[in-house]
């Protein structure tokens, strides 16, 4: 209902224009919603008359009252969108719109007249002979709001809000209107002109929407794009993959789509606990050298119903007067959607231009990393084994399990000794090293995720965020294939690289480093539990509190006091072993600690069951293994600020 003083918020301002009105309803079909656009000479009396007629219609037909909204402004036009049954569409059009036009002296213009040819397809043109009409404009409409992250922007029920950079908006209210779903649309204009056509440049601009899902430490957990993974999924303890609340539309390659060029949907109720923020980026693929050559780049927020009715609430545009569009970067970080305690998820408009998105993902308001973490309360689920305690195809038997907790790291080996050769089969030795940690980029390219100190890669001049385009004169391929190739090279082998860095190509020549060996710093080894009938859940209470010093995160928990030539720092590992008096002990499973699993909510964490990172083959045909599809580990953890 309309409260007191509602119509006083509609301010009539004289506008020098002709008395023409464009009235465009959506085509009538039995299963479609009703959408109406008013453009041109829309007066305050007209808006007041239409709103009053709509209120009377809702009172007369109460069963559809919840489906009849008020008029609001989107994209500069007065719009009406309703999902009421189509049997009521003619009545709404005639009683609430056409009769109001007639009362105010607006008469339809013949479709055969020359001026009607300028109206949009499907629209009807009206004209009033009255002089001195005033166009209805909302107070402060067109004025950008925000600019202060400490003060949230308030939604306007009558119009879409135009946001400034560095503005904050809670999306909880929008999600409530659309059954927990929030739609984000991005779009951009074309840059094609006569000169571009003459030079044979591509028509249109191909820009990809890329979403970086990060944890509370600013680490990228998932990357979603129209050309790669288009949905966020999570795995259950049984290995099933479930939808996790984020989905991206198909790819638009020319920027000339009707409405938004690309979209993504967020459903925060489905988010896993480790999702702390979502960075929204636009990456130029072709058709433009940088965002200086692209106009009308925007990001807007909508609510939507199951019937397809959409209402725009917020729009944020890249503005040359406020943004660093002179930067020669091909990536625009439009916004960050951040989890805030007590508020749900908050939208932060940004508009930063950069060369590589990964260089600008870590937020300035990120939480402090803990200085140390303690582990205790270890409990494991052990699957079935044979009568001898071996994990092979046999009947149920007994096992003698024990745990070992250690920090694993790699160091340089002074020379290749026979002892290293003997360990080669177990993966404790590598004949060479390089110091590059690689990952896949938004377009499937190879990005340098980390450069380990005191390695050939660091000496050569590699930097985090470098895009490797060529290696030894050939295409870089995938991160996995490049890593396999580099790991297979001998000591002192030269390798030539071409990397793309901040808008230019850089040539780098690297020599492969010498042999390295794996070391283990054992912090605790439990007592052996003898004659445990399997499958069984076993508690190891003799651990006490095991303390680990934490370093910068890359998804796994690491110790800052232990240097490692492979990934920077020592990795924290738990092994569950089966003791054998007559031969070598069997490994039941190996688990690498993960910060996102341990600390997704509170400071003190009573952790859940975790699936093992690596497990030895078990006979899953044994019926007693039905509830032990995976080896599992339970522990308690506490972190120190």
């Amino acid at each position: 209902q309309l409260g007191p003083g509602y119509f006083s918020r509609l301010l009539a301002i004289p506008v020098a224009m002709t008395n023409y009105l464009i009235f465009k309803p959506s085509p009538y079909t039995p299963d479609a919603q009703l959408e109406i656009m008013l453009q041109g000479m829309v007066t305050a009396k007209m808006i007041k008359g239409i709103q009053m007629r709509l209120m009377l219609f809702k009172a007369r037909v109460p069963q559809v009252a919840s489906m009849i909204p008020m008029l609001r402004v989107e994209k500069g036009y007065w719009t009406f969108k309703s999902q009421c049954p189509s049997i009521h569409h003619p009545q709404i059009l005639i009683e609430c719109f056409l009769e109001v036009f007639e009362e105010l002296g607006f008469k339809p213009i013949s479709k055969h007249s020359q001026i009607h040819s300028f109206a949009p397809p499907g629209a009807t043109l009206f004209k009033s002979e009255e002089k001195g009409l005033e166009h209805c404009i909302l107070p402060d409409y067109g004025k950008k709001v925000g600019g202060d992250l400490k003060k949230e922007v308030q939604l306007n029920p009558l119009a879409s809000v135009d946001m400034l950079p560095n503005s904050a908006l809670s999306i909880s209210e929008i999600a409530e209107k659309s059954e927990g779903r929030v739609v984000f649309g991005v779009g951009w204009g074309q840059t094609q002109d006569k000169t571009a056509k003459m030079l044979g440049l591509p028509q249109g601009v191909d820009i990809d929407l890329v979403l970086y899902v990060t944890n509370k430490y600013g680490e990228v957990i998932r990357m979603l794009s129209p050309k790669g993974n288009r949905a966020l999924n999570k795995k259950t303890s049984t290995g099933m993959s479930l939808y996790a609340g984020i989905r991206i539309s198909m790819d638009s390659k020319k920027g000339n789509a009707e409405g938004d060029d690309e979209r993504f949907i967020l459903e925060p109720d489905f988010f896993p606990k480790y999702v702390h923020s979502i960075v929204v980026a636009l990456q130029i693929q072709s058709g433009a050298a940088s965002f200086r050559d692209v106009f009308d780049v925007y990001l807007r927020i909508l609510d939507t119903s199951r019937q397809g009715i959409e209402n725009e609430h917020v729009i944020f545009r890249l503005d040359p007067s406020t943004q660093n569009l002179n930067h020669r970067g091909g990536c625009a970080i439009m916004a960050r959607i951040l989890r805030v305690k007590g508020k749900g998820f908050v939208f932060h408009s940004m508009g930063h231009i950069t060369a590589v998105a990964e260089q600008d993902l870590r937020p300035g308001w990120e939480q402090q990393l803990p200085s140390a973490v303690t582990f205790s309360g270890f409990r494991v689920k052990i699957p079935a084994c044979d009568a001898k305690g071996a994990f092979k195809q046999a009947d149920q038997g007994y096992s003698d399990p024990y745990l070992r907790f250690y920090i694993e790291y790699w160091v340089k080996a002074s020379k290749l000794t026979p002892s290293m050769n003997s360990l080669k089969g177990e993966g404790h030795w590598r004949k060479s090293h390089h110091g590059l940690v690689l990952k896949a980029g938004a377009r499937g390219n190879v990005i340098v995720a980390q450069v380990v100190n005191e390695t050939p890669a660091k000496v050569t001049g590699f930097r985090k965020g470098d895009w490797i385009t060529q290696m030894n004169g050939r295409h870089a391929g995938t991160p996995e294939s490049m890593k396999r190739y580099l790991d297979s090279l001998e000591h002192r082998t030269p390798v030539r690289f071409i990397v793309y860095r901040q808008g230019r190509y850089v040539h780098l020549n690297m020599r492969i480093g010498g042999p390295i060996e794996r070391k283990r710093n054992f912090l605790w080894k439990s007592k052996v539990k003898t004659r445990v009938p399997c499958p069984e859940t076993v508690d190891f209470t003799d651990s006490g509190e095991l303390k680990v010093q934490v370093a910068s995160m890359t998804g796994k928990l690491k110790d800052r006091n232990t240097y490692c030539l492979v990934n920077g720092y020592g990795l924290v590992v738990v092994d569950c072993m089966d003791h054998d008096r007559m031969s070598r002990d069997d490994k039941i499973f190996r688990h690498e600690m993960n910060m996102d699993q341990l600390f997704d909510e509170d400071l003190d964490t009573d952790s859940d069951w975790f699936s093992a990172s690596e497990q030895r083959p078990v006979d899953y045909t044994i019926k007693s293994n039905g509830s032990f599809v995976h080896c599992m580990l339970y522990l308690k953890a506490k972190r120190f600020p």
Side-chain angles (χ1 to χ4, degrees):
Q1 296 183 357
L2 303 181
Y6 171 83
F7 293 110
S8 64
R9 285 180 282 175
L10 301 178
L11 179 65
I13 298 179
V15 179
M17 59 184 301
T18 55
N19 295 349
Y20 288 99
L21 169 69
I22 298 175
F23 172 69
K24 183 180 179 181
S26 58
Y28 175 80
T29 56
D31 56 348
Q33 65 270 9
L34 177 61
E35 295 187 18
I36 299 173
M37 182 192 72
L38 299 179
Q39 185 181 4
M41 181 50 70
V42 182
T43 65
K45 288 184 179 180
M46 183 183 299
I47 297 299
K48 182 178 179 179
I50 293 173
Q51 304 285 46
M52 294 298 296
R53 294 292 186 100
L54 290 173
M55 292 174 62
L56 292 174
F57 180 83
K58 292 166 66 174
R60 192 169 64 254
V61 191
Q63 63 268 26
V64 298
S66 61
M67 304 180 186
I68 306 298
M70 293 294 103
L71 288 172
R72 66 193 311 270
V73 178
E74 290 184 10
K75 299 181 180 179
Y77 310 135
W78 286 94
T79 60
F80 172 81
K81 301 176 183 179
S82 174
Q83 57 192 32
C84 67
S86 59
I87 191 174
H88 300 291
H89 292 184
Q91 191 176 3
I92 293 175
L93 286 170
I94 295 173
E95 292 183 5
C96 302
F97 288 89
L98 296 180
E99 287 185 358
V100 174
F101 300 160
E102 186 176 354
E103 289 177 0
L104 296 177
F106 283 84
K107 298 180 180 180
I109 295 178
S110 172
K111 293 186 177 181
H112 301 289
S113 65
Q114 184 177 3
I115 195 170
H116 197 284
S117 62
F118 294 98
T124 302
L125 198 62
F126 290 82
K127 184 181 180 181
S128 173
E129 300 297 337
E130 184 179 348
K131 304 297 183 180
L133 291 179
E134 298 173 339
H135 187 70
C136 182
I137 300 178
L138 294 176
D140 296 329
Y141 181 74
K143 179 182 177 181
K144 293 190 175 183
V145 298
D148 186 358
L149 288 176
K150 297 180 180 179
K151 295 178 63 177
E152 289 190 6
V153 173
Q154 301 299 317
L155 296 178
N156 187 344
L158 298 177
S160 175
V161 176
D162 201 347
M163 289 182 68
L164 287 168
N166 301 318
S167 303
L169 170 72
S170 175
I171 64 174
S172 301
E173 183 179 346
I174 301 176
E176 291 174 359
K177 294 181 179 180
S178 54
E179 304 176 1
R181 186 189 313 107
V182 184
V183 178
F184 294 79
V186 297
W188 56 91
Q190 301 185 56
T191 60
Q192 184 73 350
D193 54 22
K194 293 182 178 180
T195 303
K197 289 182 179 180
M198 180 185 69
L199 296 176
L201 298 178
Q203 294 189 9
V205 183
D206 183 11
I207 299 179
D208 276 353
L209 168 67
V210 184
L211 301 183
Y212 296 90
V213 183
T214 71
N215 61 12
K216 64 175 65 176
Y217 305 105
E219 306 161 346
V220 179
I221 303 169
R222 296 286 187 276
M223 185 179 65
L224 308 176
S225 69
K227 290 185 172 69
N229 294 327
R230 293 177 47 220
L232 178 67
N233 296 314
K234 59 183 177 182
K235 288 190 176 181
T236 64
S237 58
T238 59
M240 294 180 60
S241 182
L242 299 178
Y243 170 65
I246 306 177
R247 184 179 288 113
I248 297 182
S249 66
M250 299 291 288
D251 187 23
S252 174
K253 296 184 177 181
K254 292 187 177 181
N256 57 359
E258 182 71 22
D260 300 323
D261 292 298
E262 293 178 8
R263 284 186 170 188
F264 65 97
I265 298 175
L266 299 186
E267 297 181 81
D269 293 341
F270 291 92
F271 285 176
K273 293 180 180 179
Y274 60 76
V275 174
H276 184 66
S277 69
I278 301 161
V279 178
V280 184
L282 297 178
Q283 183 74 48
I284 295 177
Q285 304 296 322
S286 64
S290 68
F291 276 92
R292 296 185 305 171
D293 306 323
V294 186
F295 69 93
D296 195 22
V297 180
Y298 69 84
L299 168 65
R300 64 188 188 124
I301 307 178
L302 311 93
D303 68 46
T304 180
S305 65
R306 296 289 181 186
Q307 291 76 17
I309 295 294
E310 296 179 345
N311 291 310
E312 177 187 298
H313 291 278
V314 173
I315 187 166
F316 168 64
R317 303 177 186 274
L318 283 180
D319 186 353
S321 63
T322 59
Q323 306 300 318
N324 184 22
L325 292 187
N326 289 326
H327 195 291
R328 291 185 175 273
C331 179
I333 299 181
M334 299 292 290
R336 187 189 304 273
I337 302 159
L338 182 71
R339 187 194 295 268
V340 178
K341 192 172 184 179
K343 296 183 179 180
F345 281 85
V346 176
F347 174 85
H348 286 182
S349 57
M350 297 175 68
H352 297 168
I353 309 298
T354 181
V356 182
E358 287 88 339
Q359 296 176 351
D360 198 19
L361 292 182
R362 189 172 292 274
W365 49 85
E366 65 188 312
Q367 299 186 20
Q368 286 290 92
L369 295 176
S371 60
V373 181
T374 59
F375 299 93
S376 61
F378 292 89
R379 183 185 304 168
V380 298
K381 288 183 179 180
I382 302 176
C385 58
D386 63 11
K388 298 180 181 179
F391 288 82
K392 299 177 181 178
Q393 294 184 4
D395 296 330
Q396 178 177 339
Y398 295 88
S399 177
D400 299 323
Y402 67 91
L403 296 183
R404 55 185 192 181
F405 185 94
Y406 56 90
I407 298 173
E408 183 178 278
Y409 57 100
W410 292 79
V411 296
K412 291 181 181 179
S414 57
K415 59 181 180 179
L416 182 58
T417 63
S419 62
M420 294 178 191
N421 275 323
S422 63
L423 295 174
K424 185 175 180 180
E426 301 177 13
H428 292 277
W429 172 83
R430 295 183 184 178
K431 62 183 178 180
S432 61
H433 72 284
H434 46 82
L436 285 175
V437 181
L438 307 173
K439 66 177 180 179
R443 291 172 280 181
N445 47 354
V446 181
I447 300 293
V448 177
Q450 185 178 355
V451 183
V452 181
N453 290 327
E454 300 182 17
T455 60
K458 189 70 174 181
V459 175
T460 302
F462 278 96
R463 299 179 187 176
K464 182 179 179 180
D466 282 349
W467 170 12
I468 301 178
T469 60
Q470 290 187 24
M471 180 176 63
N472 285 341
R474 296 185 178 182
H475 185 267
T478 64
E480 294 78 14
S481 62
M482 180 177 290
K483 183 179 182 302
R484 285 195 301 269
Y485 175 75
L486 292 175
D487 291 343
S488 67
L489 297 177
E490 300 288 343
H491 182 204
R492 296 190 179 90
T493 302
V495 186
R496 305 187 313 277
F497 294 91
I498 299 179
V499 302
Y500 184 77
R501 177 189 301 164
Q502 297 181 351
R504 62 190 184 93
Y505 290 94
V506 180
H507 293 258
L508 299 174
N509 297 318
M510 181 179 72
R511 283 188 178 272
I512 299 297
I516 57 176
E517 57 181 326
R518 180 161 60 183
K519 299 287 187 179
R520 287 172 174 171
N521 180 14
F522 284 90
L523 303 181
W524 169 67
K525 181 178 178 181
S526 73
K527 296 179 181 179
V528 177
K529 302 281 187 177
T530 58
R531 299 287 292 173
V532 176
C534 296
E536 186 60 270
T537 300
V538 185
D539 288 300
F540 294 89
T541 59
D542 59 333
S543 66
E545 287 194 343
L546 306 174
K547 190 172 185 179
V548 174
Q549 302 294 325
V550 179
S552 59
M553 299 297 108
T554 59
K556 298 291 191 303
L557 180 65
K558 297 179 179 181
D559 185 84
R560 66 157 57 105
N561 296 330
T562 309
Y563 186 70
C564 178
L565 287 176
V566 172
N567 51 19
Y569 296 90
L571 188 66
V572 179
V573 181
V574 178
D575 282 344
C576 182
M577 308 294 292
D578 177 36
H579 179 65
D580 195 331
R581 295 185 180 88
M582 304 301 294
S583 62
R584 184 180 173 187
D585 294 349
D586 295 318
K587 180 185 291 186
I588 302 174
F589 70 79
R590 165 190 169 102
H591 184 66
E592 301 172 353
M593 295 298 178
N594 190 305
M595 288 294 293
D596 298 319
Q597 293 175 333
L598 297 179
F599 309 112
D600 53 15
E601 268 188 6
D602 301 322
L603 182 66
D604 298 324
T605 304
D606 189 7
S607 303
D608 202 352
W609 288 98
F610 303 138
S611 298
S613 304
E614 172 192 336
Q615 61 181 5
R616 294 301 168 96
V618 180
D619 185 4
Y620 294 120
T621 62
I622 301 176
K623 293 183 179 180
S624 57
N625 270 337
S627 60
F628 292 90
V629 177
H630 292 85
C631 300
M632 303 289 283
L633 169 70
Y634 179 90
L635 53 85
K636 294 181 180 180
K638 181 179 180 180
R639 74 179 199 170
F640 295 87

